[in-house]
Amino acid sequence: MPGRNFLFVPGPTNVPDRILRAMHRAMEDHRSPDFPKLAAPVLRDLKKIFKTADGQAFIFPASGTGAWEAALCNTLSPGDRVLAARFGMFSQLWIDMAQRLGLTVDILETEWGEGAPIDRYAEALAADKAHAIKAVLFTHNETATGVTSDVAGMRTALDDAKHPALLAVDGVSSIGSIDFRMDDWGVDLAVTGSQKGFMLPAGLGILGVSQKALSKYESAKLNRVFFDLGDMTKQNATGYFPYTPSLPLLYGLRESIDLLLEEGLDNVFARHHRLAEGTRAAVKAWGLELCARQPKWYSDTVSAVMVPAGINGAEVIDIAYRRYDLALGAGLARMAGRLFRIGHLGDLNELMLLGGLAGAEMAMRDAGVKIEPGSGVAAAEEYWRRTAPKLEQRELPARAPEPQAAAPKARAAVPA
Ligand SMILES: *Cc1c(COP(=O)(O)O)cnc(C)c1O
């Protein structure tokens, strides 16, 4: 199909041209004396994205799932108890991984569409006087339901219970897009990947680790080889990796971190919030509901839109893709068919998102959803017009003056 494919799944996200160009490299020797000049500053600057001064950043040639595994297998031992809420596909998958690694998971079953139940986490921690629970698994942004939970609240609950469990947070679809503060929130393990807020292709598992979590490494007895933080730390100290890193992705990550820091993390978060609010205005104008039950849980990176009874969300997605070249996210597991998801994270602005909303609107109408044509697009437009930064606030150079007709020059007297 001519024109661009409109990529509105919540990861992978659009890769900005600057990153694409940065990744377009001939391969280099990853044992060369020059290599640490690339790797060491990337590892250092990742800490600014995690917002940690004391913690350490790790990069694996993997995906978010790899970083999940690295977080668990370097800090825990077989049979250790961990506490986790299950309220969507991703929290479910992390629980499943923990069980398959040999951990015992105390599961807090929670309605899909609700946020992580801090009060129930708190109760379970308070009841655990013997401190058998070694880690709390917490999904910051549940991408399956478009729900963001309160990491700071989870930290307060741990502190109030004076419980020493590690706080392991899945930030795969939040870090670099939604406010995330590893040190302030006492996050011990911050899990992410390259293909969401970092605007890169998939291929990196990225992990932030606190000193407290690192101190568990020696006593943690789960098996680990590829994800061993000890091997990684030893090599990273001199700017190298224990095995072959993905060179294009490291160059891309360098550019991605620069892009995020140039825009300013607070501006990045504000932009995501504003784009999300416009999307939510569209959903409201369509007369549809989000999967997220309460505004305090609304995600600024993904909106999961419930389709009306009698409509198959998968059909909306199929029509959007085949007829309009628009990729929307599917309903996962128990949400299959009941919703579609609009990813609004990464390298995105209002007009790109209007394209996605327009396509969703067309596909929904084709699939039989009774919505007013243009209603969602109009609501989003009006929201973004109302909240647009004033022209004078934008740090763009003023428009170049239009070329003026040259003032008529006095004619030199023509010699007679
Ligand atoms: C995408 C995602 C993952 C899985 O990451 P992969 O890179 O696909 O391995 C885990 N958790 C959340 C919240 C995600 O959005």
Side-chain angles (χ1 to χ4, degrees), residues 10 63-66 68 90 139 141-143 170 172-173 193 195-196:
S63 73
T65 303
W68 267 347
F90 292 95
T139 304
N141 190 75
E142 178 44 89
T143 319
D170 176 345
V172 180
S173 60
Q195 78 277 22
K196 297 184 186 172

Side-chain angles (χ1 to χ4, degrees), residues 65 68-73 75-86 90-107 135-138 168 222-223:
T65 303
W68 267 347
E69 183 159 339
L72 301 179
C73 70
T75 56
L76 298 164
S77 298
D80 274 355
R81 271 172 67 196
V82 301
L83 179 63
R86 173 155 60 195
F90 292 95
S91 42
Q92 152 65 21
L93 285 172
W94 203 10
I95 288 169
D96 177 62
M97 170 186 278
Q99 290 171 330
R100 286 157 71 182
L101 286 171
L103 300 168
T104 304
V105 188
D106 295 351
I107 302 173
V136 164
L137 310 190
F138 194 88
L222 280 179
N223 283 331

